[in-house]
Amino acid sequence: METKLQFIGGEWVPALSKETREIINPFNQEVIAVAAEGNEKDAKEAIKAARKAFDQGDWSNTSASDRGEIVMNIANLIKRDREELARLESLDTGKTVEESRGDMDDIAGVFRYFAEIADKDGGELIDSPLPNSNSKVVKEPVGVCGQITPWNYPLLQASWKLAPALAAGNTLVMKPSEITPLTTVKVFELMDEAGVPKGVANLVLGAGATVGAELSSNTDVDLISFTGGIETGKNIMKAASVNVKKLALELGGKNPNVIFADADFETAVDQALNGVFFHAGQICSAGTRIIVEDKIHDQFVDALVKRVANIRLGSGFDENTQMGPLISKEHLSKVMDYVEKGKKEGATVAVGGKQPEDPELQDGFFYLPTVLTDCTTDMSVVQNEGFGPVITIEKFSSEEEAIQLANDSIYGLAGGVWTSDIAKAERCVAKMRMGTVWINDFNLYFPHAPWGGFKQSGIGRELGKPGLDEYQETKHIFHNLKPEPMNWF
Ligand SMILES: NC(=O)c1ccc[n+]([C@@H]2O[C@H](COP(=O)([O-])OP(=O)(O)OC[C@H]3O[C@@H](n4cnc5c(N)ncnc54)[C@H](O)[C@@H]3O)[C@@H](O)[C@H]2O)c1
Ligand SMILES: C[N+](C)(C)CC=O
């Protein structure tokens, strides 16, 4: 597949340098596409196009309902091309096609949601302190938005940024992860087909250090929205300070899944697996930190290990496969180092802890689903995000201890509590310092519910009404209907 093009000012163009990058299938390391490799110069061109479209184009003044209609067209085109998009996502990321189909349904739902709320907030009149006056508050687009996405959910994370930015009347430049650009390229074709005007949505492909850094530091960009790792987030935050850009950061997590002895045991075990092993654990909100009540610890570990040992690895295109490979050789080696460090610190490998020996999996970046027991809160495997199929298990003996452990983290993205005691569940979630907390569930997200992190898991929210607010400025307009001199001076 040839994808040597970027989308700038409504035209498909190669990188100015003519450089390209090979896109690799993580299942077998075959080259599946050749993509343009843009750099700072391409990013500057795209920002110029987005600036012009915002300052001189009609998009920001188009009625919100007309913008909503175009965003709805995108949702419908994603539904139309669901299978093609899902297969492309699986080819690029290694995840199962079934998972990718679910992602495409979620993505269409995200565009539909923001299309529907685009025209639902026309502003409000507020009480004025003076007679013969009125005071109103209106929402306006922020301007030119830089949007940077990761490789794990390439199109899903892109949709959480594209849909609200367009619905709110902004123009944008998106940079997908350089290793998984394929579905984002395809969606820019669909946005063009859906009627997004020229220059409004621009796409630059390439590395973070070049394209991403330019988007973060360029003073013509008014907002930067980033999803990715915590260290990259900190760099972007520094770069964005140059013109005090608005900033939205969706960063990592090491998410606690607290299991009390009175939980529905079978369901808690089953959902603990779902909470981690989709996409080989490469999920920001994966429940990789299991904190289980000591009374059921051994029984829980036994049940979990039996199920984990039976997870079927393979090609995402094989319908028997339950878990695909990791994204890259570099990432595989990071996950291996993470587990080795945990072992040195005293964790015990209850299952997994190595690459599979199956000859059919030797060309892919596979790692066995892994459970580490005897974990304590001071260990690096408990504190750091592994971003792989690795669960750490800790024990607790009281509700207070469970909460204390769950909150003992620099992260605050998501967490879960399993119990049949409703009051206990409510007490726990009230104290858990995370942007999303599930009671008797894990890893559920949908367009209406805001998503984002407490603590170092991020700044701001995507999805829900707050996800639209990120892309809007609030303006107060005071109108004096009977101006007269004050004669103060
Ligand atoms: N909170 C969430 O909703 C959420 C969702 C998905 C992924 N994530 C996080 O993403 C991380 C994994 O993704 P990743 O490895 O692609 O992250 P990453 O930080 O390495 O890269 C993310 C994006 O940032 C770009 N980038 C890299 N350096 C840059 C720089 N200096 N300036 C600007 N852009 C730069 C990359 O090219 C890529 O497009 C994990 O930590 C995961 O938890 C968070
Ligand atoms: C936000 N989510 C869960 C869709 C993907 C995180 O990596």
Side-chain angles (χ1 to χ4, degrees):
M1 178 181 168
E2 295 286 302
T3 309
K4 289 188 185 156
L5 300 174
Q6 315 179 99
F7 195 61
I8 299 179
E11 306 295 333
W12 288 99
V13 293
L16 288 167
S17 68
K18 304 281 185 288
E19 278 185 30
T20 56
R21 176 189 292 262
E22 290 183 339
I23 306 300
I24 306 294
N25 180 343
F27 171 68
N28 55 17
Q29 303 189 46
E30 278 174 10
V31 176
I32 48 175
V34 178
E37 179 71 3
N39 62 29
E40 296 88 344
K41 289 185 183 156
D42 303 82
K44 282 193 173 95
E45 286 303 308
I47 293 165
K48 226 186 276 173
R51 188 78 261 166
K52 188 169 166 209
F54 188 79
D55 293 340
Q56 298 167 29
D58 296 331
W59 184 245
S60 60
N61 292 318
T62 303
S63 77
S65 47
D66 285 350
R67 289 198 304 262
E69 213 167 286
I70 290 179
V71 175
M72 187 62 90
N73 292 343
I74 304 171
N76 291 333
L77 292 173
I78 288 166
K79 269 170 74 179
R80 184 194 70 189
D81 293 351
R82 172 184 190 255
E83 189 61 20
E84 182 189 346
L85 284 162
R87 298 184 83 79
L88 202 54
E89 196 77 307
S90 287
L91 198 61
D92 208 355
T93 61
K95 65 169 74 175
T96 65
V97 178
E98 206 45 43
E99 281 179 69
S100 292
R101 288 187 186 117
D103 286 353
M104 296 314 138
D105 295 341
D106 286 348
I107 292 161
V110 167
F111 280 100
R112 194 180 318 120
Y113 172 76
F114 284 106
E116 282 169 354
I117 66 166
D119 63 358
K120 299 295 178 291
D121 184 2
E124 58 172 345
L125 278 179
I126 58 170
D127 194 40
S128 165
L130 299 183
N132 299 311
S133 69
N134 66 43
S135 207
K136 64 181 173 182
V137 176
V138 294
K139 297 286 178 67
E140 294 183 3
V142 174
V144 174
C145 304
Q147 304 186 321
I148 303 175
T149 52
W151 48 257
N152 66 329
Y153 280 74
L155 193 53
L156 187 83
Q157 297 301 159
S159 72
W160 290 16
K161 300 185 192 305
L162 293 169
L166 292 174
N170 298 276
T171 64
L172 62 96
V173 180
M174 172 162 278
K175 188 205 93 64
S177 167
E178 55 276 32
I179 54 179
T180 55
L182 302 184
T183 47
T184 308
V185 171
K186 172 77 186 159
V187 150
F188 270 72
E189 287 172 24
L190 298 185
M191 292 198 298
D192 194 27
E193 186 181 345
V196 175
K198 283 190 187 315
V200 167
N202 302 274
L203 174 71
V204 182
L205 307 180
T210 54
V211 180
E214 183 63 36
L215 289 178
S216 315
S217 61
N218 192 300
T219 52
D220 268 336
V221 175
D222 302 302
L223 174 154
I224 190 94
S225 175
F226 168 75
T227 302
I230 202 165
E231 289 311 319
T232 316
K234 287 181 190 172
N235 287 332
I236 288 175
M237 202 169 173
K238 275 186 221 146
S241 70
V242 65
N243 63 328
V244 196
K245 283 185 184 54
K246 301 211 168 302
L247 190 66
L249 298 177
E250 294 289 344
L251 308 178
K254 173 74 188 175
N255 310 287
N257 189 6
V258 176
I259 307 190
F260 283 94
D262 61 5
D264 171 345
F265 186 83
E266 292 305 323
T267 309
V269 170
D270 186 69
Q271 292 286 359
L273 299 167
N274 294 340
V276 175
F277 295 113
F278 282 115
H279 199 15
Q282 303 167 116
I283 309 178
C284 56
S285 50
T288 52
R289 185 176 180 188
I290 291 185
I291 303 176
V292 60
E293 191 162 358
D294 50 8
K295 284 184 245 176
I296 57 160
H297 172 273
D298 294 355
Q299 186 194 355
F300 190 87
V301 170
D302 284 350
L304 195 70
V305 165
K306 268 192 203 117
R307 296 274 303 267
V308 169
N310 288 326
I311 293 177
R312 294 187 299 275
L313 273 57
S315 159
F317 288 85
D318 178 342
E319 60 185 29
N320 289 316
T321 296
Q322 293 177 312
M323 197 184 99
L326 297 173
I327 191 69
S328 66
K329 194 171 175 186
E330 296 70 36
H331 191 56
L332 170 63
S333 104
K334 269 192 209 162
V335 172
M336 291 197 305
D337 290 350
Y338 173 85
V339 172
E340 290 311 310
K341 194 161 179 206
K343 279 159 65 181
K344 282 197 190 111
E345 289 172 356
T348 305
V349 176
V351 64
K354 57 182 183 181
Q355 290 179 264
E357 280 155 20
D358 184 340
E360 286 179 16
L361 303 179
Q362 296 311 306
D363 291 335
F365 308 124
F366 283 94
Y367 193 77
L368 285 174
T370 297
V371 176
L372 299 178
T373 54
D374 300 321
C375 293
T376 51
T377 183
D378 53 321
M379 290 178 179
S380 58
V381 276
V382 171
Q383 288 300 329
N384 300 337
E385 180 185 49
F387 222 54
V390 182
I391 290 176
T392 59
I393 302 198
E394 295 156 86
K395 283 183 210 179
F396 69 89
S397 55
S398 67
E399 188 179 317
E400 291 66 36
E401 192 189 4
I403 304 294
Q404 189 263 322
L405 289 173
N407 284 333
D408 183 358
S409 173
I410 62 163
Y411 294 109
L413 187 59
V417 177
W418 290 85
T419 174
S420 52
D421 179 338
I422 297 167
K424 183 159 68 182
E426 293 291 341
R427 282 195 304 273
C428 288
V429 298
K431 289 189 189 142
M432 287 168 74
R433 304 279 302 150
M434 290 128 216
T436 298
V437 190
W438 296 283
I439 300 174
N440 295 336
D441 214 315
F442 213 94
N443 246 344
L444 192 73
Y445 45 90
F446 44 92
H448 313 67
W451 180 270
F454 281 27
K455 301 196 260 182
Q456 294 188 38
S457 285
I459 296 176
R461 292 291 178 270
E462 294 193 299
L463 301 184
K465 181 65 172 55
L468 187 66
D469 294 343
E470 289 282 356
Y471 287 95
Q472 293 178 317
E473 289 280 19
T474 299
K475 181 182 277 179
H476 171 222
I477 302 169
F478 179 80
H479 190 171
N480 191 336
L481 301 168
K482 199 174 169 208
E484 23 187 59
M486 277 178 87
N487 293 321
W488 183 298
F489 299 105

